[in-house]
Amino acid sequence: REKMQLVLNILLVFILINAVLKFSFWKLWQVAAAGVLLVVFLFWAYPYAMEQSQVTIQNALETPSILSNIAVLVTIEVALCLAFCFSELKGLFFTEKNRWNTFLKACPALLMFPVLFYLLTQSFFYFSGMDFFTITMLFSAGSALFIIGGAWCIQAFFPERDFRIEVHLLTSLFIGILGLIITSSSNLIYIPKSEPISFKFLGISFILFIVIFILGIMINRWHWKLKR
């Protein structure tokens, strides 16, 4: 359990770092607006955070259905981040505007909100002698400053857009790997069976892959010819 808690803490840290990397592609006033929205969310969520207990949270993190939902959220987050990275890389080489890039760039880090909610509940447990409202106010201000200041520092010290895209891509892949580790359950849904290798199905899969690969090349060539 201690090792999984350590992996969870690492995952939370990288989710916040990845969110700041995503905000570094925004303008400063947009990041400030996101910080205000974040403060509003934390003040809206803190009455629910007060009702949580360490036992409830621990049991929730060990429930297979909740772990499955977390795995889905992590997968969606990583897919959006990877799509944004590839869209940004395409924008570096082509001047044509991409409507998907505008959507992917405007989409904030979705996992940032549940992560901050979890950290808010943990701050209630850690600073048990303080008032809940005071803790929420300090935590909200610190979170907003972390998001705004972190995005500004990344833009200032790493102005190269391609470098930030590469780091954002690698961080997203690392989050995906950690998400698979942390959401793994001890209950096996599919029990492996010892059976001989079916070369027939392997051959069919290989042929299917080759056919789809050739079709992709042909469609790509036809697309470029039509555009020209």
Side-chain angles (χ1 to χ4, degrees), residues 81-93:
C81 292
L82 294 180
F84 169 73
C85 291
F86 285 113
S87 178
E88 282 289 311
L89 286 174
K90 184 179 179 181
L92 293 177
F93 299 99

Side-chain angles (χ1 to χ4, degrees), residues 38-54:
L38 189 62
V39 171
V40 172
F41 166 76
L42 290 173
F43 273 96
W44 171 80
Y46 98 92
Y48 301 98
M50 290 190 304
E51 300 175 356
Q52 308 301 320
S53 64
Q54 289 182 333

Side-chain angles (χ1 to χ4, degrees), residues 73-122:
L73 292 176
V74 171
T75 304
I76 295 174
E77 173 84 358
V78 172
L80 289 175
C81 292
L82 294 180
F84 169 73
C85 291
F86 285 113
S87 178
E88 282 289 311
L89 286 174
K90 184 179 179 181
L92 293 177
F93 299 99
F94 300 96
T95 57
E96 181 182 358
K97 293 184 178 180
N98 188 358
R99 62 180 183 273
W100 289 108
N101 178 262
T102 305
F103 168 75
L104 293 171
K105 187 177 181 179
C107 184
L110 300 175
L111 292 179
M112 177 182 61
F113 296 97
V115 166
L116 290 177
F117 178 80
Y118 173 79
L119 293 178
L120 180 62
T121 58
Q122 297 301 311

Side-chain angles (χ1 to χ4, degrees), residues 1-13 54 57-62 67 118-119 121-122 125 178 181-183:
R1 178 177 293 183
E2 294 180 357
K3 293 182 179 180
M4 295 304 295
Q5 185 64 39
L6 177 62
V7 175
L8 176 62
N9 294 335
I10 296 174
L11 176 61
L12 298 179
V13 170
Q54 289 182 333
I57 296 175
Q58 187 64 37
N59 292 334
L61 294 177
E62 294 176 357
L67 290 177
Y118 173 79
L119 293 178
T121 58
Q122 297 301 311
F125 303 145
L178 289 179
I181 295 174
I182 200 64
T183 57

Side-chain angles (χ1 to χ4, degrees), residues 79-213:
L80 289 175
C81 292
L82 294 180
F84 169 73
C85 291
F86 285 113
S87 178
E88 282 289 311
L89 286 174
K90 184 179 179 181
L92 293 177
F93 299 99
F94 300 96
T95 57
E96 181 182 358
K97 293 184 178 180
N98 188 358
R99 62 180 183 273
W100 289 108
N101 178 262
T102 305
F103 168 75
L104 293 171
K105 187 177 181 179
C107 184
L110 300 175
L111 292 179
M112 177 182 61
F113 296 97
V115 166
L116 290 177
F117 178 80
Y118 173 79
L119 293 178
L120 180 62
T121 58
Q122 297 301 311
S123 63
F124 288 159
F125 303 145
Y126 188 78
F127 301 102
S128 56
M130 295 180 61
D131 181 62
F132 289 137
F133 185 82
T134 304
I135 295 175
T136 304
M137 183 174 59
L138 294 176
F139 183 82
S140 302
S143 301
L145 289 176
F146 172 76
I147 295 296
I148 299 173
W152 181 83
C153 289
I154 292 176
Q155 288 180 351
F157 292 101
F158 303 101
E160 299 84 1
R161 199 175 186 86
D162 53 347
F163 176 76
R164 284 182 283 147
I165 294 172
E166 182 179 356
V167 175
H168 187 46
L169 176 66
L170 295 176
T171 308
S172 301
L173 292 175
F174 187 66
I175 289 174
I177 296 173
L178 289 179
L180 292 176
I181 295 174
I182 200 64
T183 57
S184 62
S185 177
S186 59
N187 299 322
L188 292 177
I189 300 176
Y190 300 103
I191 302 176
K193 299 180 180 179
S194 57
E195 294 182 354
I197 299 176
S198 178
F199 293 98
K200 177 181 177 181
F201 290 107
L202 285 178
I204 293 174
S205 302
F206 181 74
I207 293 173
L208 184 62
F209 171 78
I210 295 296
V211 170
I212 295 176
F213 180 76

